[in-house]
Amino acid sequence: MARLDDAGDVLLAGPAVRAVRTLAAEVVFLAGPNGRAAAELLPGVDRVVEWQAPWIDHTPPPVSRNDVACLVGRLRGVDEAVVLTSFHQSALPLALLLRLAGVRRITAISNDYPGSLLDVRHVVDESVDVPEAERMLAVAAAAGFLLPPDDDGKLAVQRPLPDISARLGNTSGADKRTYVVVHPGTSAPARTWPADLHRQAVRELAEDGHQVVVTGTERDLTAHVAGDVAVDLGGMTTLAELAAVIEHAGVLVAGNTGPAHLAAAVGTPVVSLFAPVVPAVRWAPYGVPTVLLGDQQAPCLDSRARTCPVPGHPCLSQVTSEQVVKAVRELTQ
């Protein structure tokens, strides 16, 4: 199986992975560098192969004959492939490389004519928005792989998750969902709620009686947001440890980014600060209680912009800290 973009995209592929695992003797997951850790968390994955795709990665490397030859060599022995892509990505470049590796049967979505690159061409109406997890599950079904009757089709991670009690220090009730996790970072500036509003929301959540844990990879950002009122775990957790931190929280507050999908995979409700550069129907947290904040009809609608194209970033800058606190109350009561 292949999904070559970010961690959240890979987590959303989880149900499709489990469907394939019902018949496959081994599931090899081809992931990009931003998705590898998430692929390693997926139930049903036996082995992960990492490769940075020049046609998908946000900072694409040059096309290299040696890199391509290396990937083809690593994929030899794979019998069948299910290629998972977003609506704006093509499966055909990877399908060509899979053919060169000798893969016998390849399934993918392609609205372009695939010639002999695909054995099962799954055609979808891209003007109809469906949750990304369901879209990928449909690709697996087209290849002949269905979830077992006792699988609810939700996102999931492998168990057990790490013990994170030492990370939380004096934060009480690590097993009682008594704290709120705030994750201020995103992979794209257009999806980011302002740092000062995050900081204000953390203070107001503390004043409202919540213990708050701030997570992320950008340590300056998490330190600013946490201030002197929250536990700052910036730069201190692996993806598996972050999953454990979020699992024990009552709510996650986050933008449209990987940890929101990680929350869905561990069953934690989400206050989603969602910029409409991509459709919420496709990309909002899947299968968990969610309060969606942000103007979903803002001028950036469906632009796929990574940097906000509208002065003032109105879709998210107009969301107030009071709205966040109210949403957290709604999800914890």
Side-chain angles (χ1 to χ4, degrees):
M1 298 194 68
R3 181 84 202 210
L4 286 164
D5 35 14
D6 291 334
D9 309 299
V10 171
L11 290 167
L12 286 163
V17 168
R18 300 196 306 272
V20 170
R21 195 65 180 86
T22 58
L23 295 177
E26 180 187 36
V27 173
V28 178
F29 197 104
L30 179 62
N34 295 324
R36 175 172 189 146
E40 291 171 341
L41 280 179
L42 292 181
V45 170
D46 297 294
R47 180 163 57 94
V48 178
V49 173
E50 180 184 323
W51 194 66
Q52 189 175 16
W55 62 92
I56 287 183
D57 200 89
H58 302 310
T59 54
V63 177
S64 161
R65 183 190 300 269
N66 288 339
D67 285 346
V68 169
C70 179
L71 177 67
V72 169
R74 295 173 73 189
L75 294 178
R76 292 198 186 280
V78 172
D79 180 63
E80 181 168 356
V82 177
V83 179
L84 303 173
T85 51
S86 184
F87 69 99
H88 59 274
Q89 298 167 345
S90 173
L92 298 186
L94 180 58
L96 174 60
L97 301 186
L98 292 167
R99 283 291 190 230
L100 294 177
V103 177
R104 176 186 59 83
R105 186 172 188 260
I106 304 172
T107 299
I109 291 174
S110 183
N111 290 336
D112 295 324
Y113 173 62
S116 60
L117 295 180
L118 298 180
D119 299 284
V120 180
R121 176 191 182 191
H122 185 54
V123 178
V124 299
D125 182 354
E126 297 291 17
S127 68
V128 178
D129 290 325
V130 298
E132 189 71 2
E134 296 177 12
R135 183 177 185 274
M136 289 189 278
L137 196 56
V139 180
F145 301 104
L146 302 176
L147 285 172
D150 59 348
D151 191 315
D152 61 11
K154 293 185 178 180
L155 308 192
V157 292
Q158 291 189 30
R159 307 290 178 157
L161 290 172
D163 179 0
I164 43 80
S165 55
R167 298 284 192 197
L168 295 173
N170 293 327
T171 303
S172 66
D175 59 345
K176 298 178 182 177
R177 292 184 178 265
T178 58
Y179 58 90
V180 174
V181 172
V182 175
H183 190 94
T186 64
S187 61
R191 302 179 185 184
T192 304
W193 196 43
D196 286 342
L197 288 175
H198 272 104
R199 179 181 172 94
Q200 185 176 346
V202 166
R203 290 191 173 276
E204 293 179 11
L205 285 166
E207 291 168 359
D208 203 45
H210 299 282
Q211 293 183 304
V212 183
V213 176
V214 179
T215 59
T217 58
E218 304 164 73
R219 300 194 68 174
D220 289 344
L221 174 61
T222 62
H224 174 73
V225 170
D228 58 359
V229 299
V231 175
D232 178 12
L233 293 184
M236 297 173 61
T237 59
T238 65
L239 192 66
E241 289 170 335
L242 179 60
V245 171
I246 294 172
E247 179 180 38
H248 293 300
V251 177
L252 170 72
V253 178
N256 178 22
T257 190
H261 303 300
L262 200 56
V266 297
T268 296
V270 182
V271 176
S272 178
L273 297 155
F274 198 100
V277 291
V278 292
V281 172
R282 292 179 183 258
W283 297 103
Y286 183 70
V288 292
T290 300
V291 175
L292 199 71
L293 299 179
D295 180 3
Q296 299 305 300
Q297 299 303 316
C300 63
L301 179 69
D302 293 343
S303 65
R304 303 207 322 264
R306 294 185 59 77
T307 301
C308 183
V310 183
H313 200 190
C315 67
L316 288 182
S317 64
Q318 295 178 13
V319 175
T320 67
S321 55
E322 290 84 0
Q323 287 176 292
V324 170
V325 173
K326 180 181 178 182
V328 169
R329 284 182 192 157
E330 179 181 331
L331 290 171
T332 54
Q333 290 176 352

